[in-house]
Amino acid sequence: MGSEASKVFPPPCVMGDESIMSPKTYGTSAVPVQENLRWGCDQKVADRICNFNRHYAERSGYFLSTTFLTDEREKRADGGDKEITFYDADTGKPLFIAPRGRSFEDFVKESRAHGWPSFRDEEVVWDNVRCLPDGETVSITGTHLGHNLPDGKGSRYCINLVCVAGRPTDGEITDVN
């Protein structure tokens, strides 16, 4: 971590520092991964990636092996492009709301092309997400989420689905019309 390149990403990206990922009760988090993750995501994989990892990811295309696409396409069967709220797998805090500024199919197309759900700046809940100087994208409570890998369109957050497959702590999943 100390030998890695230090970057500052342009706004609206909110930068954080290494202290966010300091050791806590449960790896880099104060709490373990939730037991009943959305879309059939594997809790053991989530636990390893979210709390005991700083550099590795679920395998490329993992999100395609879950019920994510089927479940979310069924919700859109009425023809509307509804937004999906993605929650921290540890704390249940909202982290991303997508698609914003594009269709669901455009979101899926970009995610398929890169192998992980790929979010843009306007889809990030900046109250709960930070980028570290090496591009690691994390929750403010220490959940490893993925990495910011900018391209010609700007910041692109390649995020592990298992890390954002949590359920809100109030039990109400909010998908916006």
Side-chain angles (χ1 to χ4, degrees), residues 39-139:
W39 306 300
C41 287
D42 186 294
Q43 184 188 17
K44 288 181 183 176
V45 171
D47 189 52
R48 185 180 73 248
I49 293 171
C50 295
N51 299 322
F52 298 98
N53 165 60
R54 296 293 306 279
H55 303 287
Y56 300 104
E58 64 198 17
R59 64 178 164 73
S60 177
Y62 174 85
F63 78 100
L64 298 171
S65 70
T66 69
T67 64
F68 172 71
L69 289 180
T70 303
D71 291 355
E72 297 306 323
R73 281 197 173 115
E74 285 177 7
K75 290 179 185 175
R76 282 150 191 76
D78 63 6
D81 275 337
K82 298 174 184 167
E83 295 176 335
I84 305 160
T85 302
F86 296 82
Y87 298 94
D88 188 313
D90 287 338
T91 66
K93 290 183 179 184
L95 301 175
F96 299 92
I97 302 172
R100 285 200 166 160
R102 57 184 171 165
S103 70
F104 178 72
E105 290 307 320
D106 286 343
F107 168 76
V108 170
K109 181 178 178 183
E110 182 173 44
S111 297
R112 279 183 184 270
H114 298 289
W116 288 268
S118 296
F119 300 92
R120 296 295 175 165
D121 282 327
E122 60 271 19
E123 297 169 324
V124 182
V125 179
W126 289 112
D127 287 344
N128 299 324
V129 176
R130 297 290 182 268
C131 277
L132 302 186
D134 65 354
E136 184 180 6
T137 304
V138 301
S139 77

